[in-house]
Amino acid sequence: MTKAGRENMLTQQAMGWNRKKTENLHKVLVHRYIKISERAKLEAASFSEFQQKNNLTEQTVQQWVCDVQQWAVTALVSTPGSTEDLRAEIESITVSLLRKKQDLYRQHDSNQTRQRKRKKIRDLKKKLREKILQYNSTEEDKIDEELACSLTEDYILPWERLEDGHSFRIKRSVFDKIMLLKRLEEEQSILVKEMSQHIKSLQKEIKGVEKRKKNIRMGNFGDMTEDAAEGWKSVLIRRSSALERLCQEAVNTYRAIVDDLQIQDSECRTDTDDDEYDLSSPESEEED
């Protein structure tokens, strides 16, 4: 294949990919929105069940979120080898083990990959046992080594026991669930904005085509002959029809799943006197 032929092939492939992306963008956005919405419903139901199980009110949840945020910005001053430093290491290893155990089968399909993850988990458990033995040798309130290393969810470390009967680990769990729900809601709002922006982009392109068609009707041919202008007019009509069809299809698809989608000019066809677009010659206009 010659260099010119290779460049032409790559150009055709890129144009085809861009055209396919443009035609399917509304389907991709809708698929993402539905997926995020379903995830948000599942997480909300899970959190509601968690609230009922632990008898948590909305006021308590908000207070716990504030407690975790305050804990995050509070600087912990500890010296190496001190009790506070040892507690922080035990907490860090425990959280890391819980995360790795949770993601062991969810994120890795390969048995070889899971074997490596299991080895890391065994190494972390060994390190956790060493830290627990070191802590128990200096403190009166001992840590149950077996329960702590088996990652029992109901087990509370001695310094995590609070006056209200709840552990700080539960508070962090509530905080994580709240932040997850907020992230899902934020992603939903971003997708709605992308949908609206997609429609506006199509409408803007339709206005440009309408502007060129209007120039043809007014006899502004530029450097073109009359026959060339008629051919150019046919191209514009075909392009306008395709854009209007795509725009209307996108509007109908978006409105089928989003009730509060703000879209101006739902007809997806506008005539404008904006000077943003000027009539150009066929050589300078990229054909589909």
Side-chain angles (χ1 to χ4, degrees):
M1 180 181 294
T2 63
K3 181 179 179 181
R6 182 167 58 253
E7 290 181 354
N8 182 65
M9 181 188 68
L10 293 175
T11 301
Q12 293 295 331
Q13 290 178 346
M15 291 174 61
W17 184 85
N18 288 334
R19 181 168 57 252
K20 184 177 180 180
K21 180 180 178 181
T22 302
E23 293 175 353
N24 296 328
L25 181 58
H26 62 288
K27 298 178 182 179
V28 174
L29 292 177
V30 166
H31 177 73
R32 286 175 55 192
Y33 185 86
I34 293 176
K35 185 177 180 180
I36 294 299
S37 299
E38 292 177 350
R39 173 80 185 281
K41 290 180 181 179
L42 290 176
E43 294 297 339
S46 175
F47 182 67
S48 178
E49 182 180 353
F50 181 84
Q51 280 185 285
Q52 295 177 0
K53 180 180 178 181
N54 294 275
N55 296 323
L56 302 178
T57 63
E58 290 296 332
Q59 184 177 1
T60 303
V61 170
Q62 294 300 325
Q63 182 61 44
W64 285 10
V65 170
C66 293
D67 292 343
V68 175
Q69 290 175 338
Q70 183 64 31
W71 168 81
V73 299
T74 302
L76 180 61
V77 180
S78 61
T79 57
S82 64
T83 302
E84 290 77 10
D85 184 64
L86 194 57
R87 289 176 177 177
E89 289 188 51
I90 293 175
E91 287 181 353
S92 177
I93 296 174
T94 302
V95 171
S96 180
L97 280 170
L98 289 172
R99 185 180 297 111
K100 290 182 181 299
K101 182 180 178 182
Q102 183 180 10
D103 297 338
L104 182 60
Y105 289 93
R106 187 177 63 180
Q107 295 184 352
H108 306 287
D109 296 331
S110 171
N111 184 58
Q112 186 176 5
T113 304
R114 288 197 294 268
Q115 288 293 339
R116 291 197 299 267
K117 293 296 181 180
R118 289 193 183 99
K119 185 178 183 302
K120 291 182 179 180
I121 290 176
R122 289 195 297 268
D123 294 340
L124 283 175
K125 284 187 176 181
K126 182 179 179 181
K127 184 178 180 180
L128 179 61
R129 287 183 183 276
E130 295 175 355
K131 296 297 180 181
I132 290 176
L133 290 175
Q134 183 180 351
Y135 179 86
N136 289 341
S137 64
T138 58
E139 298 295 327
E140 296 181 359
D141 198 356
K142 309 295 183 181
I143 300 176
D144 192 317
E145 182 180 346
E146 294 301 325
L147 289 178
C149 293
S150 62
L151 305 179
T152 304
E153 295 183 359
D154 296 335
Y155 180 70
I156 302 175
L157 295 172
W159 60 86
E160 288 184 334
R161 301 189 186 105
L162 303 178
E163 297 179 357
D164 56 4
H166 298 285
S167 68
F168 193 74
R169 188 184 304 178
I170 295 180
K171 292 186 177 183
R172 284 187 295 185
S173 177
V174 170
F175 177 81
D176 291 339
K177 292 178 182 295
I178 292 294
M179 292 300 104
L180 176 59
L181 289 174
K182 288 185 177 181
R183 286 195 297 270
L184 293 175
E185 291 176 359
E186 182 180 1
E187 189 166 354
Q188 281 181 310
S189 63
I190 291 175
L191 286 173
V192 171
K193 291 180 180 179
E194 289 183 357
M195 293 176 187
S196 179
Q197 187 64 33
H198 180 215
I199 297 300
K200 291 178 181 179
S201 175
L202 290 174
Q203 291 175 345
K204 183 178 180 180
E205 192 171 355
I206 291 174
K207 290 180 181 180
V209 175
E210 290 295 324
K211 177 64 176 180
R212 293 182 174 93
K213 288 167 60 178
K214 184 177 180 180
N215 287 337
I216 291 291
R217 290 195 299 267
M218 295 177 61
N220 298 330
F221 300 157
D223 297 334
M224 292 185 295
T225 63
E226 186 174 353
D227 292 339
E230 288 297 325
W232 178 232
K233 180 180 178 181
S234 299
V235 172
L236 292 176
I237 292 175
R238 184 179 62 182
R239 179 60 177 167
S240 177
S241 177
L243 287 173
E244 290 171 8
R245 176 189 56 79
L246 180 60
C247 183
Q248 195 61 52
E249 181 181 352
V251 169
N252 295 336
T253 304
Y254 292 153
R255 285 185 170 171
I257 63 169
V258 182
D259 297 331
D260 57 346
L261 183 62
Q262 300 296 329
I263 299 177
Q264 297 179 354
D265 192 6
S266 60
E267 297 297 330
C268 291
R269 180 181 177 87
T270 57
D271 293 327
T272 179
D273 294 332
D274 192 1
D275 293 334
E276 181 180 359
Y277 299 95
D278 295 322
L279 182 64
S280 58
S281 62
E283 290 79 10
S284 63
E285 183 71 15
E286 181 181 354
E287 296 183 0
D288 293 337

